Amino acid sequence: MYRIILFLGLIALAASGAAWVADQSGDVVLSWDGWRVQTTLPVFALALGAAIVAAMLAWSMLRALWRLPQRIRHNARERRHARGRHAITHGLLAIGHGDSIAARMHADVARRHAANDPLALLLHAQSAQLEGDRGAARAAFHAMAERQDTRLLGLRGLFIEAQRADDPVAAVGLAEEALKLSPGSTWASHAVLGFRCAKGDWSGALKILDNNLASGLIDKPAYRRQRGVLLTARALELETVDRDLSRDSVMEAVKLAPTLVPAAVLAAKYQSEAHQIRRAMRIVEAAWLKHPHPDLADAYAHVKLGDSARQRLVRVETLAAKAPGHLEGALVVARAAIDASEFARAREALAPFTSAPTQRVAMLMAEIERTEHGDTGKARAWTLRAVRALHDPVWTADGYVSERWRPVSPVSGRLDAFQWQMPLAALPSDRSGAIEASRFDEAMLAPPSPRRGEISGKNSLQPPRAGEAAGELAGELAGELEPPPAAQDNSPAKPAAAEGTPAPSPPPTEAVPAAAPPLFRARQDIPTQDLLNQGLPKQDLPKQDLPKQDLPKAAGKPALAIPAVIPIVRAPDDPGIDDEPESAEFAEQIAPAQGQAGGWRGFLSRWGG
């Protein structure tokens, strides 16, 4: 809009100037060496303007002719650069979708037409990496490292190649050179920090961490946490070498990261040795509130040397009460209660976790059963249950499980990577039932329940025999193999009545839950239903595994229950006595297995001859 107004204003100004010149009167006379030219003023102004325009056009033409060779060279160079940029673009796209042949072709074109372009060097190096030509890739990265504009990129490429060649010395040298060139380089800082931590150079790692804070790579909270981790690592390493420096380092680490478990444990140990009991307890409590850990509980229990087991139990209960309902609190209380022979307190602490126990819970329950009552059967059952139980938390980082805390992950080199958690490989899966407790373990660990005993002559209930308990366990085990049948009454049947005397009908029984299926399948070769149809009393029928609903019921009387399993007469953990006569297996002459005949007879037998 403004440009249009300006253009119209200039046209109006030119028109008014031309009108003013046309209105002027007078003549213009030019006399030179006998030549005399006389004209009016408007004509002279028009001729002067035309001469100026002609001169400008002539100058433009001469200038264009003078610059024509340079323009031709420039256009040719621009065309080459355009072809080079086109090759670089399509080469990088080919590298992106993994076409090594196309990437190499475009890299050759780019090197011919744009040899000095940094992207051409990058394309050449990446195409060589894609084809697996490490020598060509290193040569390209060396060329980039020699240039000022691509030096950092070349150093990083050489660093990656050194890592692939498993040359840590060259890799750390390249990373340190890149860090000097650019202190804010993230990859160089991370690499140098990881190498120094792997080497155990904690002082050098602390300098790199200070450099990261000054360069703005990390914020203040992250810096405090990572510095606490490095100080803790140095304190643990110098614990048996330089205890003074170790103590100073771990006390500074506790101030920077009060919830770091290894730092709190070591600091509490040093404070306990210095008889600073309350200060040591406060350090452990601060870390326990954030991350309950067994090492913290152990340090808290032994914060005062010479205490009895009951005193340690009281102290541990105080610590566990600060994180109510946590598994670690229950475990440490149970451990201290076992040491103090307070088995009831240990059972009470572990009771909320016995329905779905972890391995440590199951092993503690096994120790309680073995120590308190000497019950090796239940101890063995709890031990077997621990094999299939959930794993307890461990120190893990990037899928790597360690028995102790480490400052750096051995997989990725990440600082402060280890966490106290359940390993990923031990998490339960929807397709796996190995974590679930078996019916055998549940039956073995269940509290004794009152059973219907045999009726003696004095109408008193007799306690069940060991064989009956083993029969129940066998039924529980069989329940995992086939679906349970209808509910049955497993109470022993009364003795059969004398022949000709009708057997008294049993009293009505209440409905009971579905019992476990029998250990052996029901035999189909005994015609039980035919015997019933012939009028044979049920007491005379052979005892077999027949579902209750298959037996016909008399009018108004329930059908007689048949025991699901024939009870054995020994305990479940008793191997029993072999009924067969003992034989000397090594003294017997064992007949060799019938092998295939050899020679021409074997050949004919194989071919049907």
Side-chain angles (χ1 to χ4, degrees):
M1 182 65 183
Y2 294 103
R3 292 182 180 180
I4 295 175
I5 295 174
L6 180 61
F7 179 71
L8 294 176
L10 291 176
I11 292 177
L13 183 62
S16 61
W20 179 81
V21 171
D23 292 341
Q24 298 299 320
S25 61
D27 297 331
V28 177
V29 179
L30 179 62
S31 178
W32 177 61
D33 194 18
W35 292 87
R36 187 175 182 277
V37 177
Q38 183 178 359
T39 182
T40 61
L41 182 61
V43 175
F44 176 77
L46 181 60
L48 182 61
I52 293 174
V53 171
M56 293 177 62
L57 291 175
W59 174 253
S60 299
M61 294 177 62
L62 290 175
R63 187 180 178 186
L65 291 174
W66 179 263
R67 293 186 176 182
L68 182 60
Q70 183 180 0
R71 185 170 297 178
I72 292 174
R73 290 193 300 268
H74 180 267
N75 291 337
R77 186 167 57 250
E78 287 296 327
R79 286 194 298 270
R80 287 196 303 271
H81 283 320
R83 285 194 292 267
R85 288 192 295 269
H86 180 272
I88 290 172
T89 302
H90 287 77
L92 293 176
L93 291 176
I95 289 175
H97 56 74
D99 190 353
S100 60
I101 299 176
R104 186 180 68 251
M105 293 174 58
H106 289 299
D108 295 338
V109 174
R111 185 168 50 183
R112 287 197 307 268
H113 296 288
N116 295 326
D117 196 331
L119 291 179
L121 295 175
L122 179 61
L123 175 60
H124 180 64
Q126 290 190 349
S127 63
Q129 285 182 333
L130 186 61
E131 289 184 339
D133 189 357
R134 303 300 179 196
R138 284 193 296 270
F141 286 125
H142 271 296
M144 284 189 286
E146 292 175 356
R147 296 179 48 159
Q148 190 67 26
D149 54 349
T150 59
R151 182 171 179 79
L152 191 60
L153 180 58
L155 290 175
R156 184 176 186 183
L158 292 175
F159 169 77
I160 294 174
E161 290 298 324
Q163 280 188 324
R164 291 179 176 176
D166 198 11
D167 190 358
V169 178
V172 68
L174 292 167
E176 289 178 349
E177 185 177 356
L179 193 60
K180 293 177 182 178
L181 183 64
S182 175
S185 179
T186 305
W187 67 270
S189 173
H190 178 75
V192 174
L193 182 62
F195 278 119
R196 292 189 178 181
C197 290
K199 190 179 178 180
D201 185 9
W202 308 117
S203 300
L206 288 171
K207 292 180 181 178
I208 298 297
L209 195 63
D210 295 337
N211 182 37
N212 292 344
L213 179 64
S215 302
L217 298 179
I218 56 176
D219 54 0
K220 193 67 174 180
Y223 167 77
R224 293 175 60 88
R225 174 73 181 188
Q226 293 182 9
R227 183 174 177 82
V229 170
L230 293 177
L231 289 172
T232 303
R234 185 171 68 177
L236 290 174
E237 184 178 350
L238 299 177
E239 184 179 1
T240 58
V241 179
D242 190 350
R243 293 182 66 85
D244 293 335
L245 181 57
S246 175
R247 184 185 300 105
D248 296 339
S249 300
V250 77
M251 294 309 299
E252 183 182 355
V254 168
K255 294 178 181 177
L256 295 173
T259 60
L260 187 60
V261 173
V265 172
L266 187 57
K269 177 181 177 182
Y270 283 135
Q271 294 298 319
S272 175
E273 292 176 355
H275 303 288
Q276 300 289 335
I277 305 301
R278 293 185 178 275
R279 191 173 182 181
M281 294 175 66
R282 285 196 300 269
I283 291 174
V284 174
E285 290 171 357
W288 177 269
L289 292 176
K290 184 67 176 178
H291 301 293
H293 193 276
D295 291 346
L296 293 173
D298 184 71
Y300 198 81
H302 297 86
V303 69
K304 186 183 294 185
L305 302 178
D307 283 353
S308 63
R310 295 184 182 274
Q311 290 174 331
R312 292 197 300 269
L313 174 60
V314 173
R315 189 179 301 117
V316 165
E317 287 179 340
T318 304
L319 180 65
K322 297 182 180 299
H326 201 278
L327 175 61
E328 294 295 341
L331 289 173
V332 298
V333 169
R335 177 72 269 170
I338 293 174
D339 295 339
S341 299
E342 297 286 346
F343 299 105
R345 181 69 186 93
R347 291 179 184 273
E348 180 183 355
L350 296 178
F353 305 98
T354 53
S355 58
T358 62
Q359 292 180 350
R360 291 168 61 195
V361 171
M363 293 305 297
L364 285 177
M365 288 299 299
E367 185 176 355
I368 292 173
E369 296 292 349
R370 182 173 57 254
T371 307
E372 182 181 10
H373 302 299
D375 193 342
T376 58
K378 288 188 176 181
R380 189 182 301 114
W382 274 111
T383 305
L384 180 62
R385 194 170 182 181
V387 176
R388 296 187 295 270
L390 290 172
H391 288 255
D392 291 281
V394 291
W395 289 115
T396 177
D398 301 323
Y400 178 83
V401 177
S402 176
E403 296 181 356
R404 57 183 179 86
W405 175 84
R406 294 185 180 184
V408 182
S409 170
V411 179
S412 61
R414 185 163 50 94
L415 187 63
D416 192 23
F418 277 91
Q419 301 293 329
W420 182 255
Q421 60 186 4
M422 183 181 296
L424 298 179
L427 292 177
S429 173
D430 295 338
R431 299 183 179 180
S432 176
I435 303 299
E436 297 178 359
S438 63
R439 293 178 178 270
F440 179 81
D441 297 339
E442 293 177 356
M444 194 68 184
L445 300 174
S449 57
R451 289 175 48 84
R452 187 177 300 171
E454 296 181 358
I455 302 178
S456 60
K458 297 181 181 180
N459 296 331
S460 63
L461 294 177
Q462 299 294 334
R465 295 180 297 174
E468 297 177 359
E472 284 190 355
L473 296 180
E476 296 287 343
L477 285 175
E480 300 179 357
L481 302 178
E482 58 183 57
Q488 296 183 3
D489 187 4
N490 293 335
S491 59
K494 292 183 179 181
E499 187 175 357
T501 304
S505 61
T509 58
E510 298 178 358
V512 296
L519 181 61
F520 304 99
R521 297 183 180 275
R523 293 183 57 183
Q524 302 297 332
D525 54 344
I526 301 179
T528 307
Q529 189 65 33
D530 296 338
L531 295 177
L532 289 172
N533 295 335
Q534 294 175 7
L536 188 65
K538 298 175 183 177
Q539 293 81 353
D540 296 339
L541 294 178
K543 294 181 180 181
Q544 60 173 322
D545 245 348
L546 189 63
K548 185 175 181 180
Q549 61 269 18
D550 293 344
L551 298 177
K553 299 181 180 179
K557 295 183 180 180
L560 181 63
I562 299 177
V565 184
I566 301 177
I568 59 177
V569 293
R570 59 176 183 269
D573 56 348
D574 184 10
I577 302 175
D578 195 358
D579 296 335
E580 298 181 359
E582 183 178 0
S583 60
E585 55 177 335
F586 296 103
E588 295 180 358
Q589 184 67 25
I590 302 176
Q594 296 294 333
Q596 191 175 19
W600 61 273
R601 294 182 179 178
F603 177 80
L604 294 179
S605 63
R606 286 192 295 271
W607 286 92

